[in-house]
Amino acid sequence: MEVLLRANCLQRLATPCFLRALHKDYRTVAPQNFSNYESMKQGFKLEIPEYFNFANDVLDQWAKKEKAGMRPSNPAFWWINGNGEEVKWSFEELGSLSRKFANILTEACALQRGDRVIAILPRIPEWWLANVACLRTGTVFISGTTQLTQKDILYRLQTSKAKCIITNEVLAPAVDAIASKCENLHSKLIVSQTPREGWGNLKEMMKHASDNHTCVKTKHNEMMAIYFTSGTSGSPKMTEHSHSSYGLGLSINGRCWLDLTPSDIMWNTSDTGWAKTAWSSVFSPWTQGACVFVHYLPRFEPTSILQTLSRFPITVFCSAPTAYRMLLQKDMTGYKFESLNHCVTAGEPINPEVTEQWRNKMGLDIYEGYGQTETVLICGNFKGMKIKPGSMGKPSPAFDVQILDLNGNVLPPGQEGDIGIQVLPNRPFGLFTGYVVVKAFIVLKPDYKANDKEQLKKEIQEHVKKTTAPYKYPRKVEFIQELPKTISGKIKRNELRKKERETI
C-alpha cells in the first residue's frame, strides 16, 4: 500500500459495558441521506469534472432552485452577534453580495487569477463573502485566526506572497507596522465603520460596487485556497487545496457525516482561522443547500452557546470535545433543544464519559469525526451506527483506510499503528494538492558544477537562513541547465511551477 498520510492512531479500546441511565427523551435519529453505513459506502460515487467552481456550480445552482421554489425557505446564511443584530441571506443575496466583493477584488485591488488574498477576520459576514468572492475571481483564499501576533502576520504575508489583506480595525495597526517588509502586498481592505488611511473601506466600497460579475472558469485541480497548519512541529506549513479537493471533497462531510439537507440549519463553532470552518461552515453545508448559522462570539461562552441552541432552530451542532465538556458543566435544566437532532465533534479525541453525559442530559449522541487540514473526513461515526466508546468510527466512503506498522504493513484489529490512506493506483480526490514550499531552481556556474550537489544544497540553505529570516530558506533545491525565459529575459516562473507540479 502506498501511503500519503501517516498519523499516529492509538487504538482506543472500548470501556467495559455498564448500565446507562438514558435521558427520558433519548432519540436514535435515522440518517436522512442513506439507510446505513454499508449502503452509504456502496452507493458512494462522485465524478470529477474537468472544470469546477464552487461558487458557480454549487452556490449559484442553489440560488436558481431557490428562485424556482425548489428549496425550503431556510436562509443560506444566518448571522447573529448576541446584541440583537441579525443578518439573513438567501442564496440569491449571497450571490449578489459576493459578486460585488469580487468586483472590488478585481477592480479596486487589481487582483488577477491566482493572486493570493489573506483574510484575518472574526466571525462576521464579510469573512464568508471573502471566501465566495475569491472563488468567483479565481484568487487564492488564505484565512488567519484573529489571535495572530504581528510576527505571525508578517510570516504569513511573506511566505504566501499575498497581494491583498482583509482585516478589521483591531489588527490593522499590526499590519501597517510590518507592511513595508511585504514586497508583494499592495492592497489592504478594512472592515470598519470608520475610514483608515491607506486602507480601502470595505463597507463603503460594497455600497457602490456592481453585482454584475462573471465567475471565472476554473479547472478542478487549480489552486483554490491555502490553509496554514498549526505548526506543532516547526513553522506552520502552507497546505494547498484545489477547487475539487475541498469544493467537491467536502461533500462527503456534508452528505455522510453531517447528514445535511436543505431543511437543516448547521452551527459550527470553529474559529475562522482554521480549516475546520471551511469544513463545516462553508463547503459541507452549502453543498447540501443547508443554512450556515453563525454566532459572533469573541470567545467560547457556554451559557451563550446553550441559550443560542435553545432559542434558534439549529438542527446540527458541531464543536470541539473541550467545548462539550464545558457545556456539560452548566445546568441545562432550564433549556429546551427542540430542533437539535445531530451533534458532531472533531479536533481531538472525545472522552467516552463526555459522550455518555451528553446522551444522558440531551438525549442525543455525539458523532466523532477525524480528518486533517490536508484532508476531508477520513473516518467517523455516522448516523445509524452503533457508537463504541473511545472509537472514532469507520472509514469515509471516499478512502481506503488501514492501520499500518512502521513498515507500511496492515495490522490486525486491536493493535496500535499509523493511519494510512491508499493513494495508488488512483489518488483520492479529497486530499490536498501538496505543501506550498520555497523551492530554488539554480543554474550553476562552471566553477561549481563539479561540487558535491548535496553538500552544496546544505550550504545554500544555511546561507539563506543566516542572511534572511530563517523560515525563508528554500526547502527544496534543484540544479538545472538553464532557466526558462521570455524574449525580454524574464524568468517564466509558471513553467517552473508546472515542472514542479508534474513531480508531485
Side-chain angles (χ1 to χ4, degrees), residues 3-8 372 404-409 418-420:
V3 180
L4 175 68
L5 293 172
R6 292 177 69 110
N8 184 258
Q372 297 177 329
L404 311 175
D405 64 17
L406 293 176
N407 297 316
N409 300 310
D418 293 334
I419 292 177

Side-chain angles (χ1 to χ4, degrees), residues 255-287:
R255 178 175 175 79
C256 302
W257 183 49
L258 301 175
D259 192 38
L260 293 166
T261 72
S263 299
D264 283 303
I265 297 174
M266 167 85 204
W267 184 22
N268 165 50
T269 64
S270 297
D271 184 275
T272 52
W274 308 115
K276 185 61 175 66
T277 307
W279 273 38
S280 300
S281 296
V282 181
F283 297 103
S284 299
W286 279 343
T287 293

Side-chain angles (χ1 to χ4, degrees), residues 49-298:
E50 182 181 359
Y51 293 93
F52 177 78
N53 186 288
F54 189 82
N56 179 72
D57 299 322
V58 176
L59 299 179
D60 290 351
Q61 300 313 307
W62 279 115
K64 291 177 182 177
K65 290 181 180 180
E66 188 178 69
K67 195 171 183 179
M70 298 169 61
R71 181 183 174 272
S73 58
N74 263 0
F77 181 82
W78 189 352
W79 177 89
I80 63 169
N81 69 353
N83 295 321
E85 291 185 71
E86 191 172 39
V87 170
K88 282 185 181 182
W89 294 331
S90 63
F91 277 106
E92 189 173 4
E93 290 168 323
L94 175 65
S96 175
L97 291 167
S98 62
R99 285 190 287 272
K100 287 187 174 187
F101 203 141
N103 280 325
I104 291 170
L105 294 180
T106 55
E107 295 173 7
C109 299
L111 295 176
Q112 297 181 356
R113 184 172 176 164
D115 288 342
R116 297 171 182 182
V117 178
I118 289 185
I120 309 176
L121 293 169
R123 299 178 189 91
I124 57 175
E126 286 81 2
W127 185 86
W128 277 263
L129 289 182
N131 267 271
V132 184
C134 285
L135 290 169
R136 293 191 183 281
T137 56
T139 49
V140 180
F141 183 78
I142 306 171
S143 191
T145 173
T146 54
Q147 296 176 3
L148 294 176
T149 64
Q150 182 174 304
K151 181 180 178 181
D152 294 329
I153 296 171
L154 175 63
Y155 171 74
R156 281 159 175 75
L157 282 170
Q158 289 185 333
T159 53
S160 69
K161 295 181 172 56
K163 292 187 176 180
C164 175
I165 189 167
I166 308 165
T167 191
N168 60 7
E169 53 198 7
V170 176
L171 287 172
V175 175
D176 284 338
I178 50 89
S180 62
K181 300 177 183 178
C182 307
E183 59 183 4
N184 294 286
L185 183 66
H186 65 71
S187 297
K188 298 183 293 185
L189 298 177
I190 190 169
V191 182
S192 174
Q193 298 293 345
T194 56
R196 182 179 180 87
E197 186 177 352
W199 291 72
N201 189 291
L202 189 59
K203 288 185 179 291
E204 286 301 313
M205 296 168 84
M206 286 289 287
K207 293 177 183 177
H208 307 290
S210 167
D211 67 352
N212 183 17
H213 181 273
T214 301
C215 185
V216 298
K217 189 176 181 181
T218 51
K219 287 198 169 184
H220 77 88
N221 56 357
E222 196 171 322
M223 190 192 302
M224 180 199 74
I226 293 172
Y227 299 94
F228 278 87
T229 61
S230 55
T232 52
S233 57
S235 299
K237 299 185 185 73
M238 292 192 293
T239 306
E240 175 187 319
H241 273 281
S242 68
H243 282 270
S244 62
S245 64
Y246 260 15
L248 284 172
L250 284 169
S251 64
I252 300 164
N253 295 37
R255 178 175 175 79
C256 302
W257 183 49
L258 301 175
D259 192 38
L260 293 166
T261 72
S263 299
D264 283 303
I265 297 174
M266 167 85 204
W267 184 22
N268 165 50
T269 64
S270 297
D271 184 275
T272 52
W274 308 115
K276 185 61 175 66
T277 307
W279 273 38
S280 300
S281 296
V282 181
F283 297 103
S284 299
W286 279 343
T287 293
Q288 295 296 106
C291 170
V292 170
F293 184 89
V294 182
H295 191 327
Y296 173 77
L297 282 172

Side-chain angles (χ1 to χ4, degrees), residues 300 302 317 319-330 332 345 348-355 357-358 361 366:
F300 191 88
F317 178 65
S319 204
T322 301
Y324 280 102
R325 287 196 295 271
M326 294 171 67
L327 292 173
L328 284 167
Q329 293 171 7
K330 294 293 181 180
M332 298 185 184
T345 192
E348 59 182 294
I350 190 165
N351 192 311
E353 292 180 2
V354 173
T355 58
Q357 291 175 26
W358 188 262
K361 287 190 176 184
I366 299 175

Side-chain angles (χ1 to χ4, degrees), residues 159 161 238 435-442 457 460-461 464 471-480 483 493 495-504:
T159 53
K161 295 181 172 56
M238 292 192 293
Y435 294 115
V436 184
V437 298
V438 179
K439 177 169 182 176
F441 290 91
I442 299 173
K457 286 180 184 179
I460 291 169
Q461 289 171 329
V464 176
Y471 56 79
K472 288 186 178 181
Y473 82 92
R475 268 64 171 180
K476 301 171 75 175
V477 176
E478 183 178 340
F479 299 110
I480 57 179
L483 293 169
R493 298 179 187 274
E495 286 192 15
L496 293 174
R497 282 192 286 267
K498 182 182 179 183
K499 181 179 185 296
E500 178 63 14
R501 284 180 187 278
E502 290 174 351
T503 66
I504 297 176

